[in-house]
Amino acid sequence: MSSGVRESLLNARDLERALHDMSHAIVDLAGGTDRLMLVGIQRRGVELAERIAHIIGAEHGVQVPRGALDITMYRDDLRSVGPRPLVGETRLPGEIEGHCVFIVDDVLYTGRTIRAALNELTDFGRPDRIGLAVLVDRGGRELPIQADVVGTTVDVQRNDHVDVMVREVDGRDAVEVVREANR
């Protein structure tokens, strides 16, 4: 990807504003905070879910239960990952039944990551509702999956890449599009 041209999509302030907007939409769709649970997809979805939970907590005076999903073993391309895939932590804050669980991820592209997340999540039970919140929807779906809450949408080509950086992992907040130089 080093041959690509980087374009800024969201700076730190834009990213924070998008998370605030997403937080309000999630609470609205969940019908409040009583049954709300956030589950981030490893890696950056977990950090985004933490931030959204903090925003909701500050505005509503509640502590939103949150967890993490590592979908590695649920991928439909696991054979292409190699013989020893890196598997991260999956943790849920308790029973998911009776809750409105929002899966949080950084970028929605083909829908395959979300399919894997749905498969893994339902192995733990049957929530009343599952919603999907993504910071960036880049289009290009291969499966009929759509987000309920989107921070921003960008039109990119198949060979382009969307990089989400969060300060907890990358030392800064930004979203950049890496466009292939040879188009």
Short mmCIF file of all heavy atoms in Angstrom, two decimals, residues 16 19-30 32-39 48-66 100 102 104 133 149:
data_model
loop_
_atom_site.label_atom_id
_atom_site.label_comp_id
_atom_site.label_asym_id
_atom_site.label_seq_id
_atom_site.Cartn_x
_atom_site.Cartn_y
_atom_site.Cartn_z
N GLU A 16 -14.14 12.25 16.73
CA GLU A 16 -14.83 12.41 18.00
C GLU A 16 -16.29 12.82 17.80
O GLU A 16 -17.20 12.31 18.45
CB GLU A 16 -14.10 13.43 18.87
CG GLU A 16 -14.57 13.47 20.31
CD GLU A 16 -14.32 12.17 21.07
OE1 GLU A 16 -13.36 11.45 20.76
OE2 GLU A 16 -15.11 11.87 21.98
N LEU A 19 -18.29 9.83 16.68
CA LEU A 19 -18.58 8.93 17.80
C LEU A 19 -19.72 9.46 18.67
O LEU A 19 -20.56 8.69 19.14
CB LEU A 19 -17.33 8.67 18.63
CG LEU A 19 -16.23 7.86 17.95
CD1 LEU A 19 -15.01 7.74 18.85
CD2 LEU A 19 -16.74 6.49 17.52
N HIS A 20 -19.77 10.77 18.86
CA HIS A 20 -20.88 11.37 19.62
C HIS A 20 -22.20 11.15 18.88
O HIS A 20 -23.20 10.76 19.50
CB HIS A 20 -20.63 12.86 19.86
CG HIS A 20 -19.79 13.13 21.06
ND1 HIS A 20 -20.31 13.30 22.32
CD2 HIS A 20 -18.45 13.25 21.19
CE1 HIS A 20 -19.34 13.50 23.18
NE2 HIS A 20 -18.19 13.47 22.52
N ASP A 21 -22.20 11.40 17.58
CA ASP A 21 -23.42 11.19 16.79
C ASP A 21 -23.85 9.73 16.82
O ASP A 21 -25.03 9.42 16.97
CB ASP A 21 -23.21 11.64 15.34
CG ASP A 21 -23.03 13.15 15.20
OD1 ASP A 21 -23.33 13.90 16.16
OD2 ASP A 21 -22.57 13.58 14.11
N MET A 22 -22.87 8.84 16.69
CA MET A 22 -23.17 7.41 16.73
C MET A 22 -23.74 7.01 18.09
O MET A 22 -24.69 6.21 18.16
CB MET A 22 -21.90 6.59 16.44
CG MET A 22 -21.41 6.72 15.00
SD MET A 22 -19.77 5.96 14.75
CE MET A 22 -20.17 4.22 15.03
N SER A 23 -23.20 7.56 19.16
CA SER A 23 -23.69 7.26 20.51
C SER A 23 -25.15 7.61 20.66
O SER A 23 -25.94 6.81 21.21
CB SER A 23 -22.86 8.02 21.55
OG SER A 23 -21.51 7.66 21.47
N HIS A 24 -25.53 8.79 20.19
CA HIS A 24 -26.94 9.20 20.28
C HIS A 24 -27.84 8.27 19.48
O HIS A 24 -28.91 7.87 19.95
CB HIS A 24 -27.10 10.64 19.81
CG HIS A 24 -26.43 11.63 20.70
ND1 HIS A 24 -25.64 12.64 20.22
CD2 HIS A 24 -26.40 11.75 22.04
CE1 HIS A 24 -25.17 13.34 21.22
NE2 HIS A 24 -25.61 12.82 22.34
N ALA A 25 -27.40 7.91 18.28
CA ALA A 25 -28.21 7.03 17.42
C ALA A 25 -28.35 5.64 18.04
O ALA A 25 -29.43 5.04 17.99
CB ALA A 25 -27.58 6.93 16.03
N ILE A 26 -27.30 5.13 18.65
CA ILE A 26 -27.35 3.82 19.29
C ILE A 26 -28.35 3.81 20.43
O ILE A 26 -29.18 2.91 20.54
CB ILE A 26 -25.94 3.39 19.78
CG1 ILE A 26 -25.06 3.04 18.58
CG2 ILE A 26 -26.03 2.22 20.76
CD1 ILE A 26 -23.59 2.87 18.92
N VAL A 27 -28.30 4.82 21.28
CA VAL A 27 -29.25 4.91 22.40
C VAL A 27 -30.68 5.00 21.88
O VAL A 27 -31.59 4.33 22.40
CB VAL A 27 -28.91 6.10 23.33
CG1 VAL A 27 -30.02 6.33 24.35
CG2 VAL A 27 -27.58 5.86 24.03
N ASP A 28 -30.90 5.79 20.84
CA ASP A 28 -32.24 5.90 20.26
C ASP A 28 -32.73 4.55 19.74
O ASP A 28 -33.85 4.13 20.02
CB ASP A 28 -32.26 6.92 19.12
CG ASP A 28 -32.19 8.35 19.61
OD1 ASP A 28 -32.37 8.60 20.82
OD2 ASP A 28 -31.91 9.24 18.77
N LEU A 29 -31.89 3.86 18.96
CA LEU A 29 -32.29 2.58 18.38
C LEU A 29 -32.47 1.50 19.44
O LEU A 29 -33.28 0.58 19.27
CB LEU A 29 -31.27 2.13 17.33
CG LEU A 29 -31.30 2.91 16.02
CD1 LEU A 29 -30.13 2.53 15.14
CD2 LEU A 29 -32.62 2.67 15.29
N ALA A 30 -31.72 1.58 20.54
CA ALA A 30 -31.82 0.60 21.62
C ALA A 30 -33.01 0.89 22.53
O ALA A 30 -33.31 0.10 23.42
CB ALA A 30 -30.53 0.57 22.43
N GLY A 32 -33.15 3.38 24.66
CA GLY A 32 -32.59 3.80 25.95
C GLY A 32 -31.35 2.98 26.29
O GLY A 32 -30.80 2.26 25.45
N THR A 33 -30.95 3.07 27.53
CA THR A 33 -29.70 2.41 27.95
C THR A 33 -29.93 1.18 28.83
O THR A 33 -28.97 0.47 29.13
CB THR A 33 -28.82 3.41 28.73
OG1 THR A 33 -29.53 3.85 29.90
CG2 THR A 33 -28.43 4.59 27.87
N ASP A 34 -31.17 0.91 29.23
CA ASP A 34 -31.43 -0.17 30.20
C ASP A 34 -30.94 -1.54 29.75
O ASP A 34 -30.40 -2.29 30.54
CB ASP A 34 -32.93 -0.26 30.51
CG ASP A 34 -33.43 0.95 31.28
OD1 ASP A 34 -32.59 1.69 31.83
OD2 ASP A 34 -34.65 1.16 31.32
N ARG A 35 -31.16 -1.87 28.49
CA ARG A 35 -30.80 -3.20 27.99
C ARG A 35 -29.62 -3.16 27.02
O ARG A 35 -29.28 -4.16 26.42
CB ARG A 35 -32.00 -3.84 27.29
CG ARG A 35 -33.21 -4.01 28.18
CD ARG A 35 -34.43 -4.59 27.45
NE ARG A 35 -34.73 -3.87 26.21
CZ ARG A 35 -34.67 -4.42 25.00
NH1 ARG A 35 -34.36 -5.68 24.84
NH2 ARG A 35 -34.96 -3.70 23.93
N LEU A 36 -28.99 -2.01 26.89
CA LEU A 36 -27.93 -1.82 25.91
C LEU A 36 -26.63 -2.50 26.32
O LEU A 36 -26.22 -2.43 27.48
CB LEU A 36 -27.68 -0.32 25.70
CG LEU A 36 -26.57 0.06 24.72
CD1 LEU A 36 -26.87 -0.48 23.32
CD2 LEU A 36 -26.41 1.58 24.69
N MET A 37 -25.99 -3.15 25.35
CA MET A 37 -24.68 -3.75 25.53
C MET A 37 -23.88 -3.49 24.25
O MET A 37 -24.43 -3.61 23.15
CB MET A 37 -24.82 -5.27 25.76
CG MET A 37 -23.52 -6.00 25.99
SD MET A 37 -23.77 -7.81 26.17
CE MET A 37 -24.58 -7.88 27.77
N LEU A 38 -22.62 -3.10 24.39
CA LEU A 38 -21.76 -2.85 23.23
C LEU A 38 -20.68 -3.93 23.16
O LEU A 38 -20.08 -4.28 24.18
CB LEU A 38 -21.07 -1.49 23.35
CG LEU A 38 -21.99 -0.28 23.44
CD1 LEU A 38 -21.16 0.99 23.67
CD2 LEU A 38 -22.83 -0.14 22.18
N VAL A 39 -20.46 -4.45 21.96
CA VAL A 39 -19.43 -5.46 21.75
C VAL A 39 -18.60 -5.04 20.55
O VAL A 39 -19.09 -4.99 19.43
CB VAL A 39 -20.06 -6.86 21.52
CG1 VAL A 39 -18.96 -7.89 21.27
CG2 VAL A 39 -20.92 -7.27 22.70
N LEU A 48 -13.27 1.67 19.82
CA LEU A 48 -14.40 2.53 19.47
C LEU A 48 -15.60 2.25 20.38
O LEU A 48 -16.28 3.19 20.81
CB LEU A 48 -14.77 2.34 17.99
CG LEU A 48 -13.70 2.75 16.99
CD1 LEU A 48 -14.12 2.38 15.57
CD2 LEU A 48 -13.37 4.24 17.08
N ALA A 49 -15.86 0.98 20.69
CA ALA A 49 -16.95 0.64 21.60
C ALA A 49 -16.71 1.22 22.99
O ALA A 49 -17.65 1.71 23.64
CB ALA A 49 -17.12 -0.88 21.68
N GLU A 50 -15.46 1.17 23.46
CA GLU A 50 -15.12 1.76 24.76
C GLU A 50 -15.43 3.26 24.77
O GLU A 50 -15.98 3.79 25.73
CB GLU A 50 -13.64 1.54 25.08
CG GLU A 50 -13.30 0.11 25.45
CD GLU A 50 -13.84 -0.30 26.81
OE1 GLU A 50 -13.99 0.56 27.70
OE2 GLU A 50 -14.11 -1.51 26.97
N ARG A 51 -15.05 3.93 23.70
CA ARG A 51 -15.30 5.38 23.64
C ARG A 51 -16.79 5.70 23.58
O ARG A 51 -17.26 6.63 24.22
CB ARG A 51 -14.59 5.97 22.43
CG ARG A 51 -13.10 5.96 22.60
CD ARG A 51 -12.52 7.11 21.82
NE ARG A 51 -11.18 6.77 21.39
CZ ARG A 51 -10.54 7.41 20.44
NH1 ARG A 51 -11.12 8.39 19.80
NH2 ARG A 51 -9.32 7.07 20.12
N ILE A 52 -17.52 4.93 22.79
CA ILE A 52 -18.97 5.14 22.70
C ILE A 52 -19.61 4.89 24.06
O ILE A 52 -20.47 5.67 24.50
CB ILE A 52 -19.58 4.24 21.60
CG1 ILE A 52 -19.13 4.74 20.21
CG2 ILE A 52 -21.10 4.20 21.71
CD1 ILE A 52 -19.46 3.80 19.07
N ALA A 53 -19.18 3.85 24.75
CA ALA A 53 -19.72 3.56 26.09
C ALA A 53 -19.42 4.71 27.04
O ALA A 53 -20.26 5.08 27.86
CB ALA A 53 -19.13 2.25 26.62
N HIS A 54 -18.23 5.28 26.94
CA HIS A 54 -17.86 6.41 27.80
C HIS A 54 -18.74 7.63 27.51
O HIS A 54 -19.22 8.29 28.43
CB HIS A 54 -16.38 6.76 27.60
CG HIS A 54 -15.94 7.93 28.41
ND1 HIS A 54 -15.74 7.86 29.78
CD2 HIS A 54 -15.70 9.22 28.06
CE1 HIS A 54 -15.39 9.05 30.22
NE2 HIS A 54 -15.35 9.89 29.20
N ILE A 55 -18.99 7.89 26.24
CA ILE A 55 -19.85 9.03 25.86
C ILE A 55 -21.26 8.82 26.39
O ILE A 55 -21.86 9.72 26.99
CB ILE A 55 -19.86 9.22 24.32
CG1 ILE A 55 -18.47 9.67 23.83
CG2 ILE A 55 -20.94 10.21 23.90
CD1 ILE A 55 -18.28 9.56 22.32
N ILE A 56 -21.82 7.62 26.17
CA ILE A 56 -23.17 7.32 26.66
C ILE A 56 -23.21 7.41 28.18
O ILE A 56 -24.14 7.98 28.76
CB ILE A 56 -23.63 5.93 26.17
CG1 ILE A 56 -23.80 5.94 24.65
CG2 ILE A 56 -24.92 5.51 26.87
CD1 ILE A 56 -24.03 4.56 24.04
N GLY A 57 -22.19 6.88 28.83
CA GLY A 57 -22.13 6.93 30.30
C GLY A 57 -22.11 8.34 30.82
O GLY A 57 -22.81 8.66 31.80
N ALA A 58 -21.33 9.20 30.19
CA ALA A 58 -21.23 10.59 30.63
C ALA A 58 -22.54 11.34 30.42
O ALA A 58 -22.93 12.18 31.24
CB ALA A 58 -20.10 11.30 29.88
N GLU A 59 -23.24 11.04 29.34
CA GLU A 59 -24.48 11.76 29.03
C GLU A 59 -25.70 11.21 29.76
O GLU A 59 -26.65 11.94 29.99
CB GLU A 59 -24.71 11.76 27.51
CG GLU A 59 -23.68 12.59 26.78
CD GLU A 59 -23.92 12.67 25.29
OE1 GLU A 59 -24.91 12.08 24.79
OE2 GLU A 59 -23.10 13.32 24.61
N HIS A 60 -25.68 9.91 30.11
CA HIS A 60 -26.85 9.29 30.71
C HIS A 60 -26.62 8.81 32.14
O HIS A 60 -27.56 8.28 32.76
CB HIS A 60 -27.33 8.12 29.84
CG HIS A 60 -27.81 8.54 28.50
ND1 HIS A 60 -29.11 8.93 28.25
CD2 HIS A 60 -27.15 8.66 27.31
CE1 HIS A 60 -29.23 9.26 26.97
NE2 HIS A 60 -28.06 9.10 26.38
N GLY A 61 -25.41 8.96 32.65
CA GLY A 61 -25.13 8.56 34.01
C GLY A 61 -25.22 7.06 34.25
O GLY A 61 -25.64 6.63 35.32
N VAL A 62 -24.85 6.27 33.24
CA VAL A 62 -24.90 4.81 33.36
C VAL A 62 -23.56 4.22 32.94
O VAL A 62 -22.77 4.88 32.26
CB VAL A 62 -26.01 4.20 32.47
CG1 VAL A 62 -27.38 4.69 32.91
CG2 VAL A 62 -25.77 4.50 31.01
N GLN A 63 -23.35 2.99 33.32
CA GLN A 63 -22.19 2.25 32.82
C GLN A 63 -22.71 1.20 31.86
O GLN A 63 -23.41 0.27 32.26
CB GLN A 63 -21.41 1.61 33.96
CG GLN A 63 -20.15 0.97 33.46
CD GLN A 63 -19.18 0.65 34.58
OE1 GLN A 63 -19.38 1.04 35.72
NE2 GLN A 63 -18.14 -0.07 34.25
N VAL A 64 -22.39 1.38 30.59
CA VAL A 64 -22.87 0.47 29.56
C VAL A 64 -21.98 -0.78 29.55
O VAL A 64 -20.77 -0.66 29.41
CB VAL A 64 -22.85 1.14 28.17
CG1 VAL A 64 -23.31 0.16 27.09
CG2 VAL A 64 -23.72 2.39 28.16
N PRO A 65 -22.57 -1.97 29.69
CA PRO A 65 -21.76 -3.19 29.60
C PRO A 65 -21.14 -3.31 28.22
O PRO A 65 -21.79 -3.01 27.21
CB PRO A 65 -22.78 -4.32 29.83
CG PRO A 65 -24.01 -3.68 30.36
CD PRO A 65 -23.98 -2.25 29.93
N ARG A 66 -19.88 -3.73 28.18
CA ARG A 66 -19.22 -3.85 26.89
C ARG A 66 -18.27 -5.03 26.89
O ARG A 66 -17.77 -5.46 27.92
CB ARG A 66 -18.49 -2.59 26.52
CG ARG A 66 -17.57 -2.06 27.58
CD ARG A 66 -17.36 -0.56 27.36
NE ARG A 66 -16.57 0.05 28.39
CZ ARG A 66 -17.03 0.52 29.53
NH1 ARG A 66 -18.31 0.43 29.80
NH2 ARG A 66 -16.23 1.07 30.41
N CYS A 100 -30.13 -5.58 24.06
CA CYS A 100 -29.95 -5.03 22.72
C CYS A 100 -28.44 -4.89 22.56
O CYS A 100 -27.83 -4.01 23.15
CB CYS A 100 -30.64 -3.68 22.58
SG CYS A 100 -30.34 -2.91 20.97
N PHE A 102 -25.18 -4.10 20.49
CA PHE A 102 -24.65 -3.41 19.32
C PHE A 102 -23.23 -3.87 19.07
O PHE A 102 -22.37 -3.73 19.93
CB PHE A 102 -24.70 -1.89 19.48
CG PHE A 102 -25.87 -1.26 18.79
CD1 PHE A 102 -27.09 -1.19 19.43
CD2 PHE A 102 -25.76 -0.78 17.50
CE1 PHE A 102 -28.19 -0.63 18.80
CE2 PHE A 102 -26.85 -0.22 16.85
CZ PHE A 102 -28.07 -0.15 17.51
N VAL A 104 -19.81 -3.21 17.32
CA VAL A 104 -19.12 -1.98 16.89
C VAL A 104 -17.86 -2.39 16.12
O VAL A 104 -17.08 -3.21 16.60
CB VAL A 104 -18.74 -1.10 18.10
CG1 VAL A 104 -18.02 0.16 17.63
CG2 VAL A 104 -19.98 -0.74 18.91
N ALA A 133 -22.99 -0.93 14.45
CA ALA A 133 -22.51 0.46 14.36
C ALA A 133 -21.09 0.43 13.82
O ALA A 133 -20.24 -0.28 14.36
CB ALA A 133 -22.54 1.13 15.74
N VAL A 149 -26.06 2.09 12.28
CA VAL A 149 -25.47 3.38 12.64
C VAL A 149 -24.14 3.49 11.93
O VAL A 149 -23.30 2.59 12.03
CB VAL A 149 -25.29 3.48 14.17
CG1 VAL A 149 -24.58 4.76 14.55
CG2 VAL A 149 -26.62 3.36 14.89
#
